[in-house]
């Protein structure tokens, strides 16, 4: 009776498994090990597992063992960087992990030393590490090759399913196996196969032979013949069934800068992974490996100069592809536009300086959604291509394209590619059952003949294995499966661009929203606030120092070192809140240092400005500096808590010297235990602690449809997976409103400011809020202090507003995104939590209400309810995430007209970066405008020192989708030199308006 295809496949797997037991002709234990200079034996547990430990031993390959067939096999109980040192001092290093445990040798006599940690690749502790295996193995290379080839045929048969070639593949494999002259002597056979799964299930095995015989020369010769005949048969089949499709393979090892391990471990992971990649290049000239992230190379340059030198050599000969163009692989949802600029600016400059070239491909395989600002910034940074894979993670709607033009907010386009590999995504494998589905899932195959496939163990590093390199060579002969060759990512995109010039590719316009990992907008909110403050501290420090320089001060200092620290902490598992506690301890320290240094630079700049101002008769002078392009009402909070809130207006990018004694509070101010009122707003606080009424006096409109700032606790914020990453769509099915405050009282009331304090408690946590209104304010600030001690519980604020619109406006980097307030489609419904920077707004043509913030990112807009997520309490991977005290402010801002005419962005800017001021004596009353920008309203991104040469760089952006003329007038003695791109190089643009919708423009400003 003839066997079925399934039965024949099962038999092939069994016979292939049999071959594996003869892969090693002989083994020789490597003994005499030390652990931290103390003796340790094979099989013994580590004496301790604290920090980095060191093993050492020596080995001698028997003289009758061919060196090219000998391997060192190690399992030390964790991850290691192993160093093999030979006679004469030559050495070679490899990474050791569960996927890399067999190493070739270059000489017979060697010493072995290690840097080891009792950790597995994903940071998981090996709680009982032991020196499990240490031996030299003499491989039977023909058996090894045949075994691998048979495994690949079995994988191909499974992947090809009912393809016509399947019976032929099985017949070829079966013929080869039948041709073998295979040993059968009882005791050697049983001993060789004793470790097989089925043998290990036997009640009691017979006594085993210690060194069972390997193949005889005749038996081995039959293996060689079978292998050669099988390879020839595969080539013949390939002529009849040509390979279908093409994949460009790029060796890859996604090393998260920090995630389930601290950054110090990442530095060790880099060295382990990079040495492994270099060893493969030394032995396989066709192998190609890519690695992004300028920060890694800068770190390696400092940590291991010799390794870095070898990497540079491989970059020069084309084996190692440096890619990405950014300082790190950052989150792109939360960083401000200027941070994204600096990712590209400092990344590209480092790559050019170090490796001699900039990059054209943005490599972001693992980020949680992508800002619509990116295409424009990439193009301005010389990058025309974009790669990710994360779009395939969306749970509700399948992203429709995999080779497409990605169009940004301003209309700029980059060519984007993603592949859908169901076998570990960007951590792919070199095997037929990985190639087949990846090619099958490539929807653009009718337009372009090749897809990318990144292969190699990753997330925790490790990368490609020697077997993967060997597999690629064998698979060249296979029929029917996709053709796959090592290549460069940049070459793939170069070819794809040629296709795009000849064929019409689809276009995706705007942000790429990931329908997953929405909680990353809220988790670890303390670090998110520090990051927001660090960004603002650096931008303001550069602005103030530039203003000081323009009125006679020294050239501003470069803050690149501080920016690099900030950019590092924008990595896509740090800023999103998805790392372990140790990562956030480092991030809090580093970002706090950036903030502190930024403030020092600000103080020095203010001192320089004050010293350069003309002297005069104002004894008690207030020097006010506006670091934005928005006119601002004068508000100042002094160190002693004193507040000024006047009707004076401070013009953009200017210095005002005012007589402090002459400043008067804005009129019409009133407060009592439940009411706050000035000329712009009338606020009533209800007994539930929420805002019962918010009247916008200029229009007479009641801004609220129901009490605003309702605080809701969601005690079942317990996602089915990815605790710190996700919010399940039905989290709100159980909500507890905090509507019985412990106390409500008026705690501040003077001519300039008043505050009503509301205290709420929930179980072990407390929420203290101050409703704050200043005399000239057009917004109601809600200053919040949380002491959080509850796990897997989320706190949100909901505000039903008296406006109606089909879309709400969410601020993003360099612009805004319109998001649906309804759930008409599955795409609309999936956007139940989305990113906003400093505001969201719901407007009718003549009136709107905005929700502003100084530290939060997770928002919602459903119907007329504006929501903001304040804090969560996830337990994985940090059981104490967001534990303890937090302080932040959000605000309700009713306004006339739509959001852009109602100055929503300007008000949010003021909340995040108040006016800068200092007190001085004996100054003249004066106003100095450093840079006057008139015409179409634009927002300031930066005023900074030029990276090269003298002068400054002014960068602005159009935030609302308008176009028109723009006029820039620097202070007397200064001139606009030339328009530049974000790399600060001269650029030309088509004739037309001076600023286009959502355009980012930069100019050099030089002294005349």
């Amino acid at each position: 009776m003839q066997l079925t295809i399934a039965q024949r496949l099962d038999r092939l797997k069994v016979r292939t498994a049999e071959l594996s037991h003869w892969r090693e002709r002989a083994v020789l234990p490597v003994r005499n090990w030390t652990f931290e200079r103390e003796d340790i034996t094979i099989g013994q547990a580590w004496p301790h597992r604290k920090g980095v430990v060191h093993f050492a031993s020596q080995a001698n390959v028997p003289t009758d063992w061919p060196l090219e067939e000998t391997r060192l096999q190690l399992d030390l109980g964790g991850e290691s960087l192993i160093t093999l040192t030979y006679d004469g001092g030559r050495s070679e290093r490899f990474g050791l992990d569960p996927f890399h445990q067999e190493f070739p040798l270059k000489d017979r006599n060697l010493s072995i030393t290690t840097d080891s940690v009792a950790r597995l690749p994903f940071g998981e502790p090996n709680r009982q590490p032991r020196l499990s295996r240490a031996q030299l193995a003499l491989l039977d290379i023909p058996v090894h090759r045949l075994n691998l080839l048979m495994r690949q045929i079995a994988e191909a048969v499974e992947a090809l399913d009912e393809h016509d070639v399947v019976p032929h593949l099985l017949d070829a494999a079966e013929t080869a196996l039948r041709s073998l002259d295979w040993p059968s002597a009882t005791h050697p056979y049983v001993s060789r196969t004793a470790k097989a799964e089925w043998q290990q299930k036997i009640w009691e095995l017979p006594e085993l032979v210690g060194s069972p015989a390997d193949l005889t020369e005749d038996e081995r010769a039959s293996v060689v013949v079978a292998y050669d005949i099988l390879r020839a048969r595969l080539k013949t089949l390939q002529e009849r069934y040509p390979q279908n499709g093409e994949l460009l393979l790029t060796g890859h090892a996604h090393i998260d800068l920090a995630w389930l391990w601290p950054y110090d471990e990442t530095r060790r992971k880099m060295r382990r992974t990079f040495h492994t990649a270099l060893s493969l290049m030394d032995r396989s000239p066709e192998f190609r490996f890519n690695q992004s992230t300028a920060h890694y190379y800068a770190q390696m340059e400092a940590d291991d100069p010799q390794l870095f030198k070898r990497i540079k050599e491989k970059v020069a000969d084309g084996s190692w592809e440096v890619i990405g163009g950014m300082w790190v692989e950052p989150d792109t949802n939360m960083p401000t536009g200027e941070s994204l600029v600096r990712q590209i600016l400092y990344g590209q400059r480092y790559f050019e300086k170090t490796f001699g070239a900039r990059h054209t491909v943005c490599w972001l395989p693992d980020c949680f959604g992508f800002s619509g600002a990116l295409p424009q910034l990439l193009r301005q940074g010389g990058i025309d291509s974009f790669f990710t894979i994360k779009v395939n993670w969306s749970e509700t709607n399948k992203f429709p394209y995999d080779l497409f033009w990605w169009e940004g907010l301003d209309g700029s386009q980059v060519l984007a590619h993603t592949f859908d590999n169901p076998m570990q995504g960007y951590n792919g494998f070199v095997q037929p059952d990985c190639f087949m589905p990846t090619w099958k899932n490539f929807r653009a195959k009718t337009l372009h003949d090749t897809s990318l496939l990144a292969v190699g163990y990753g997330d925790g590093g490790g990368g490609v294995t020697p077997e993967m390199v060997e597999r690629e060579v064998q698979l060249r002969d296979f029929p029917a499966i996709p053709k796959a060759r090592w290549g460069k990512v940049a070459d793939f995109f170069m070819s794809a661009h040629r296709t795009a010039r000849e064929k019409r590719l689809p276009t995706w316009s705007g942000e790429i929203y990931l329908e997953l990992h929405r909680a990353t907008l809220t988790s670890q909110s303390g670090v998110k606030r520090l990051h927001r403050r660090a960004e603002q501290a650096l931008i303001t420090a550069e602005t103030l120092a530039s203003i000081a320089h323009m009125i006679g001060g020294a050239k501003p200092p470069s803050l690149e070192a501080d920016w690099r620290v900030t950019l590092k902490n924008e990595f896509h598992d740090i800023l999103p809140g998805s790392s372990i506690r140790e990562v956030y301890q480092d991030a809090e320290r580093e970002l706090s240092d950036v903030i502190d240094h930024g403030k020092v630079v600000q103080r020095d700049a203010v001192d320089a400005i004050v010293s350069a101002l003309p002297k005069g008769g104002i004894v008690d002078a207030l020097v006010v500096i506006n670091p934005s392009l928005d006119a601002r009402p004068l508000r100042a909070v002094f160190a002693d808590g004193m507040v000024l809130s006047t009707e004076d207006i401070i013009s953009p990018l200017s210095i005002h010297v005012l007589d402090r004694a002459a400043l008067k509070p804005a009129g019409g101010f009133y407060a009592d235990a439940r009411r706050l009122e000035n000329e712009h707003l009338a606020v009533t606080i209800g007994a539930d602690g929420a805002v019962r009424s918010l009247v916008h006096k200029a229009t007479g409109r009641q801004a609220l449809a129901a009490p605003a700032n309702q605080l809701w606790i969601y005690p079942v914020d317990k996602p089915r997976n990815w605790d710190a990453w996700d919010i399940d769509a039905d989290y709100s099915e159980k909500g507890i409103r905090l509507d019985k405050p412990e106390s409500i009282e008026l705690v501040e009331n003077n001519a300039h400011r008043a505050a009503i304090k509301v205290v709420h408690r929930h179980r072990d946590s407390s929420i203290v809020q101050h409703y704050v209104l200043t005399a000239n304010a057009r917004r109601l600030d809600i200053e919040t202090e949380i002491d959080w001690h509850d796990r897997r519980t989320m706190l949100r604020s909901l505000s039903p507003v008296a406006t109606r619109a089909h879309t709400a406006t969410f601020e993003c980097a360099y612009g805004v995104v319109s998001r649906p307030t309804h759930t008409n489609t599955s795409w609309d419904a999936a956007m139940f939590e989305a990113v906003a920077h400093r505001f969201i707004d719901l407007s009718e043509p003549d009136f709107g209400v905005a929700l502003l913030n100084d530290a939060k990112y997770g928002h919602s807009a459903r119907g007329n309810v504006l929501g903001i997520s304040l804090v969560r309490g996830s337990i994985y991977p940090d059981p104490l995430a967001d534990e303890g005290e937090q302080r932040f402010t959000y605000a309700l801002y009713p306004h006339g007209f739509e959001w852009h005419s109602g100055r929503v962005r300007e008000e949010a800017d003021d909340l995040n970066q108040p006016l800068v001021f200092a007190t001085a004596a004996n100054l003249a009353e004066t106003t100095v405008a450093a840079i006057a920008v008139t015409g179409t309203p634009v927002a300031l991104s930066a005023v900074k020192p030029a990276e090269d040469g003298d002068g400054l760089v002014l960068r602005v952006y159009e935030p609302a989708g308008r176009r028109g003329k723009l006029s820039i007038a620097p202070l007397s003695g200064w001139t606009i030199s030339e328009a530049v791109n974000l790399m600060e190089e001269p650029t030309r643009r088509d004739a037309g308006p001076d600023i286009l919708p959502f355009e980012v423009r930069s100019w050099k400003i030089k002294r005349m």
Side-chain angles (χ1 to χ4, degrees), residues 935-950:
T936 305
V938 294
L940 180 69
S941 182
V943 185
K944 62 178 289 292
E947 295 296 324
D948 298 312
D950 295 328

Side-chain angles (χ1 to χ4, degrees), residues 531-545:
H531 170 259
R532 175 88 65 94
R533 292 177 60 202
E535 287 180 311
Q536 198 60 60
L538 296 180
I539 292 170
T540 302
E542 290 175 336
T543 301
L544 296 178

Side-chain angles (χ1 to χ4, degrees), residues 6-43:
Q7 291 169 334
R8 294 170 71 188
L9 177 59
D10 286 343
R11 183 176 62 186
L12 174 59
K13 291 179 180 179
V14 171
R15 292 295 311 278
T16 300
E18 178 191 35
L19 296 178
S20 67
H21 299 296
W22 274 263
R23 179 176 182 267
E24 295 163 0
R25 299 175 62 183
V27 296
L28 181 66
V30 176
R31 306 189 190 277
N32 301 317
W33 284 91
T34 61
F35 175 97
E36 297 291 276
R37 300 185 179 181
E38 298 292 332
D39 290 344
I40 186 172
T41 60
I42 297 174

Side-chain angles (χ1 to χ4, degrees), residues 675-730:
R675 293 176 57 214
L676 300 170
E677 187 169 354
N678 63 14
E679 290 188 347
H680 307 294
L681 300 176
V683 181
T684 303
I685 306 302
D688 58 358
V691 183
R692 190 175 70 191
S693 175
L694 178 60
V695 175
H696 182 249
K697 288 187 173 182
T699 61
R701 288 274 298 260
Q702 168 60 256
L704 306 179
N709 191 38
Q710 299 175 24
L711 295 181
W712 284 84
I713 292 283
Y714 299 98
V716 287
D717 179 24
K718 301 176 181 182
R720 63 195 184 280
N721 199 1
W722 300 102
D723 197 50
W725 290 258
D726 282 351
I727 301 174
D728 283 346
D730 61 352

Side-chain angles (χ1 to χ4, degrees), residues 30-37 46 52-59 72 74 76 79-86 89-96 103 105 109-117 131 134 271-272 275:
V30 176
R31 306 189 190 277
N32 301 317
W33 284 91
T34 61
F35 175 97
E36 297 291 276
R37 300 185 179 181
W46 292 16
V52 181
V53 301
H54 304 90
F55 288 87
S57 186
Q58 298 82 35
L72 174 65
L74 297 175
L76 303 180
E79 289 198 284
S80 303
L81 176 64
I82 65 170
T83 301
L84 308 182
T85 304
Y86 303 102
R90 293 180 304 140
S91 65
E92 187 172 20
R93 290 186 171 92
F94 300 90
L96 168 66
F103 311 101
L105 302 177
N109 302 313
L110 62 145
S111 63
I112 308 164
T113 56
T114 80
D115 296 336
S116 303
V117 291
L131 199 170
R271 294 182 71 199
R272 297 192 289 260
H275 276 296

